[in-house]
């Protein structure tokens, strides 16, 4: 397997990559992670079974898509590859530090600049992605309410049901979300899609975002997730708003967008996320949000 890794890096870097150090590091729910080094260029390696190659390819494509916008900083992609039994993703190894308020302010401007970039008149993406380890469909739609209610809320509710979590009638909840968003027709923005405090860090004074779940959608979805668990500092939102003013009705839609992430966390982690999601569903159905 390590020979395959060296070969992919050699193709990318233009010289044979002789792995001298391999340090296993803690990562998320499903992949092994290593930092490897040839004494010159450290590389971050995500590793899993061979069947995960499409997931790694999608992550690489999303990072490269975001990088091409020249707005927010993301890890450089060195390649995706396979050995006989494994697949892997090779990324720039980042020595992450906590993000300061000043850096968050600059990140707010960068994210707003990303969201202002136009590139699609529809909602979705040319390929499907993952939110954490969970498949995220991105079939193109002309209507935002239809896209979000079906491919976000309805999709997560179905997964919850299959895992024994009952939030009520899926059709009723989906229809209620669609009605809530029916008059909202946002200009599609390229979203990071998985933007919360765990997926950002500082490198040399710059904020890097990673583990994306991209698609073209309502920019408010990114903002809503940043506020859900541990909100970013006020400086982030102030600078975002200065660069790309936030719609005055955002607050009324924010809980609907946060429901998507709470449903995702409910069937992944259970715990206190389930009652939080149930409470949002109750408020939604009672027309209190």
């Amino acid at each position: 397997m390590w020979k395959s890794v060296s070969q992919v890096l050699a193709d990318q870097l233009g010289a044979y990559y002789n792995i001298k150090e391999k340090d296993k590091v803690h990562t998320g729910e499903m992949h092994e992670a290593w930092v490897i080094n040839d004494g010159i260029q450290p590389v971050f390696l995500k590793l899993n079974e061979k069947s995960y190659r499409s997931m790694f390819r999608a992550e690489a494509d999303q990072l490269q898509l975001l990088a091409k916008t020249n707005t927010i900083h993301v890890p450089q992609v060195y390649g995706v590859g396979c050995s006989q039994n494994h697949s892997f993703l090779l990324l720039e190894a980042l020595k992450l530090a906590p993000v300061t308020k000043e850096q968050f302010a600059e990140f707010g401007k960068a994210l707003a600049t990303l969201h202002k970039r136009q590139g699609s008149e529809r909602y979705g993406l040319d390929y499907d992605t993952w939110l954490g380890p969970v498949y995220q469909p991105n079939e193109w739609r002309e209507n935002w309410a239809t896209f979000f209610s079906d491919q976000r809320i309805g999709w997560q509710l179905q997964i919850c049901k299959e895992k024994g979590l009952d939030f009520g009638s899926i059709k009723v909840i989906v229809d209620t979300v669609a009605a809530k968003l029916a008059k909202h027709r946002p200009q599609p923005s390229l979203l990071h899609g998985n933007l919360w405090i765990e997926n950002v860090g500082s490198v040399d004074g710059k904020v890097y975002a990673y583990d994306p779940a991209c698609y073209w959608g309502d920019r408010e979805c990114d903002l809503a997730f940043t506020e859900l668990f541990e909100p970013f500092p006020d400086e982030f939102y102030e600078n975002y708003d200065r660069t790309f003013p936030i719609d005055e009705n955002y607050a009324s839609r924010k809980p609907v967008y946060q429901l998507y992430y709470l449903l995702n966390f409910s069937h992944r982690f259970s715990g206190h996320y389930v009652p939080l999601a149930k409470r949002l569903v109750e408020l939604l159905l009672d027309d209190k949000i």
Side-chain angles (χ1 to χ4, degrees):
M1 192 275 291
W2 297 108
K3 288 183 178 180
S4 299
V5 171
S6 292
Q7 184 58 58
V8 171
L9 286 171
D11 293 342
Q12 173 69 27
L13 302 174
Y16 184 71
Y17 192 91
N18 182 23
I19 302 174
K20 296 180 180 179
E21 298 177 11
K22 306 171 190 170
D23 296 315
K24 196 169 186 179
V25 296
H26 173 73
T27 185
E29 301 164 61
M30 57 192 311
H31 306 306
E32 284 187 24
W34 300 72
V35 174
I36 59 176
N37 205 325
D38 66 347
I40 301 173
Q41 179 73 52
V43 173
F44 183 72
L45 165 72
K46 284 189 177 182
L47 176 70
N48 214 316
E49 297 174 359
K50 197 169 185 178
S51 60
Y52 284 85
R53 188 183 188 283
S54 61
M55 178 182 285
F56 289 144
R57 181 71 265 167
E59 182 174 350
D61 289 345
Q62 291 170 80
L63 290 171
Q64 290 171 329
L65 178 63
L66 290 168
K68 287 177 182 177
T69 68
N70 294 312
T71 54
I72 65 173
H73 297 285
V74 295
Q76 182 178 348
V77 176
Y78 292 137
V80 176
C82 286
S83 64
Q84 184 174 354
N85 298 311
H86 297 90
S87 60
F88 52 85
L89 171 63
L90 301 166
L91 302 173
E92 177 183 7
L94 301 174
K95 293 184 178 180
L96 297 169
V99 183
T100 67
K101 290 183 179 180
E102 293 77 12
Q103 291 164 356
F104 263 120
E106 287 301 310
F107 184 57
K109 179 179 179 180
L111 183 69
T113 303
L114 168 67
H115 289 165
K116 287 176 74 173
R117 295 285 176 90
Q118 297 185 12
S120 174
E121 294 301 319
R122 297 182 296 163
Y123 309 101
L125 198 64
D126 285 335
Y127 49 92
D128 295 330
T129 52
W130 280 262
L131 182 62
V134 182
Y135 185 75
Q136 177 176 267
N138 291 318
E139 187 175 342
W140 290 104
R141 289 286 185 270
E142 303 285 344
N143 182 280
W144 171 244
T146 300
F147 176 91
F148 188 81
S149 61
D150 288 346
Q151 296 192 60
R152 293 297 178 261
I153 299 301
W155 180 261
Q156 292 295 331
L157 285 169
Q158 184 60 43
I159 297 173
C160 286
K161 183 178 180 180
E162 292 169 1
K163 295 189 175 184
L165 294 175
D166 183 11
F167 291 93
S169 167
I170 293 177
K171 183 179 186 307
V172 170
I173 298 170
V174 168
D175 288 348
T176 303
V177 170
K180 178 79 174 177
L181 299 174
K183 296 181 180 180
H184 185 50
R185 295 178 175 83
Q187 174 64 41
S189 295
L190 180 60
L191 308 185
H192 177 280
N194 192 15
L195 194 60
W196 63 309
I197 201 72
E198 294 293 327
N199 286 341
V200 295
S202 172
V203 181
D204 297 329
K206 300 174 182 177
V207 179
Y208 279 71
Y210 39 91
D211 291 342
C214 293
Y215 63 101
W216 290 89
D218 185 357
R219 64 191 176 110
E220 294 175 354
C221 292
D222 270 351
L223 293 175
F225 197 18
T226 68
E227 294 191 67
L228 181 54
F229 300 126
E230 183 179 341
F232 290 2
D234 291 344
E235 290 82 353
F236 166 83
Y237 302 102
E238 291 166 0
N239 225 18
Y240 182 101
D241 187 56
R242 280 199 269 303
T243 308
F244 193 1
I246 299 171
D247 189 277
E248 61 182 6
N249 294 317
Y250 160 61
S252 68
R253 292 183 289 268
K254 179 170 66 174
V256 180
Y257 294 153
Q258 290 178 335
L259 178 59
Y260 173 56
Y261 298 101
L262 281 175
L263 291 171
N264 178 274
F265 275 52
S266 291
H267 64 72
R268 286 164 63 187
F269 306 119
S270 190
H272 70 286
Y273 300 112
V274 176
L276 287 174
K278 285 187 175 181
R279 180 58 178 157
L280 271 188
V281 170
E282 289 172 1
L283 291 172
L284 178 70
L285 295 179
D286 289 342
D287 198 25
K288 294 181 179 178
I289 58 173

